[in-house]
Amino acid sequence: MKGNEALAEAAIRAGCKCFFGYPITPQTEVAAYFAKKLPKVGGTFLQAESEIAAINMVYGAASAGVRTMTSSSSPGISLKTEGISYICGADLPCVIINVQRGGPGLGGIQPSQADYFQATRALGHGDSRVIVFAPSSVQEMVNVVNKAFNLADSYRMPAMILADGLLGQMMEPVEFPETEAETFEKPWATVGHGGVREHNIANSLYLKPDVLEKSILDRQKRYEDIEDKHTEADCYLTDDAEIVVCAYGATARICKSAVNAARAKGIKAGLFRPVTLWPYPKKELIKASENAKSLLTVEMSTGQMIEDVKLSIDCKKPVHFYGRTGGIIPTPAEVTAEIEKIAKEGV
Amino acid sequence: MVFIIIGHYGSGKTNFACNIAEKLVEKYAGGETVAIADLDIVNPYFRTADYTAELEAAGVKVIASNFQTSTLDIPSLTFDLAALSGEYDNLIIDVGGDDEGAKVLGRYMNALDKGKISILYVVNFRRYLTRTAEDALEILREMEAVTGVKANNLVNNTNLAEETTAEVIAESTAEADKLAGFMDVKNIITVVPEGIDYKPLNAFTAKIIVNKPW
């Protein structure tokens, strides 16, 4: 399947019943797949008049306790951020997909990872966080969609799948697990009180500072719980690695080839691949880089995840950077050359 | 001859089109010109034009649509297909992967010499929406409706990318035969990736040109 189609099929299997979106390259197939399939399983697909409208429709569907999703690419995600912040403020679950392209502004339509800061720090104003998954294969796209829905429901907050144009457009074989979608009790859903309980209200407006502070601090506790329990990373040949390459998404696949090439040249290189970007797998990185003399972060950006890498290890080891941006994909040979350069210099 | 390659997204059209182009160059050994035109205005990823360097090194002229000259993020056509078909002895046309993509072709069909056209429908029976002969026929009919012409060749390109085996291809023959019946096509071309030991009737050995960047 194509990555974008796999995202949509996985969401349908996870029980997503409402999809709202607006077309943008390179993620349009997500919406196109939902448009074909969702009505057949009793769901609702709606092409909104804009990205802003789409995220606010998600806000509405999430309020009613329905598993809901929207999808876009970089410039479209920027448009959605107001709505995302409202959804965070109202403590509602949903899943948002960003199939990244080049930026800023309209940027380009080729793959990019330049929205890392936005995804991990700035999807909404006001002390809000969004769980961020970074799959690196079409199969992993399928796997993380289900996790994203479950975590979003259990913590009542949005989760994002941060992909890129390469993963979205790529064809790979996939298997869908034969498991039933999990369901969560949603006593807060605005589905009618039936005259037996108080009104449920979906709202992000708290005009009394003490009430607002309490709601933020309550949310903060949930964030800490997620940071504690739900980090995920994949390590490849890191046990004895002297140089640990850190990369996520499609770039991690390129780096894996580079690590293999470096190993063939006698350089002890390994790969650390975060699957969750927020929360960042700090403990996992500290362990993976135990024997490392230095680290190399590789991204399709000018250097964003490198900040989390440095923070995770408390800047105790040198962290190098290699990146291509604007829609250029780094090649395994370029990354191998960087690894060789570091190996030659010693750290 | 004009070879028009149609098929759903991910059917392997582009890889097949590039292989035909290279095989034609080999066959004529410089005696006839071979060009490939990228008519896909729907999808800007994994396109014929991405393999221009390799194709041109093999002696294939690549004519690509352009998506870097406008403020739209979709490709646009900057060539006249009818004129091109007169310019080259062999022209391969790689068409976009659905009825929207095929619409572009419909615009040129009347201007092309019908006697010199071969339309090849590429199917991967391991793809969603083309798992069965019936599904594959539905997609084909949608494309035929907008182009106004019928496909007269069936290319069974069933594959699971790097996980393709002889069994994967062999399993698809029943659906391929059924589809050929629906299409009223006698011969089925079966694509066998290089390195796979499988020899069906009308096998077409293909190298993997459309590759991933790792």
Side-chain angles (χ1 to χ4, degrees), chain A residues 1-2 5 33 101 109-111 165 169-173 253, chain B residues 10 43-46 67 73 127-129 160 163 212-214:
Chain A
M1 280 184 115
K2 197 180 246 209
E5 297 161 355
Y33 193 94
R101 59 186 251 177
I109 55 171
Q110 295 300 320
Q169 295 293 331
M170 194 170 68
M171 297 284 306
E172 278 188 314
R253 311 253 315 245
Chain B
N43 192 327
Y45 278 70
F46 296 105
F67 60 93
D73 64 5
R127 279 280 290 147
Y128 100 102
L129 294 181
L160 276 174
E163 291 175 27
K212 288 166 186 149
W214 42 81

Side-chain angles (χ1 to χ4, degrees), chain A residues 242-243 267-268 293-294 337-347:
Chain A
E242 291 176 359
I243 300 169
I267 302 168
K268 284 185 178 171
K293 288 181 186 157
S294 60
E338 284 302 308
I339 297 172
E340 282 184 277
K341 202 167 84 186
I342 296 164
K344 212 173 158 188
E345 286 163 8
V347 281

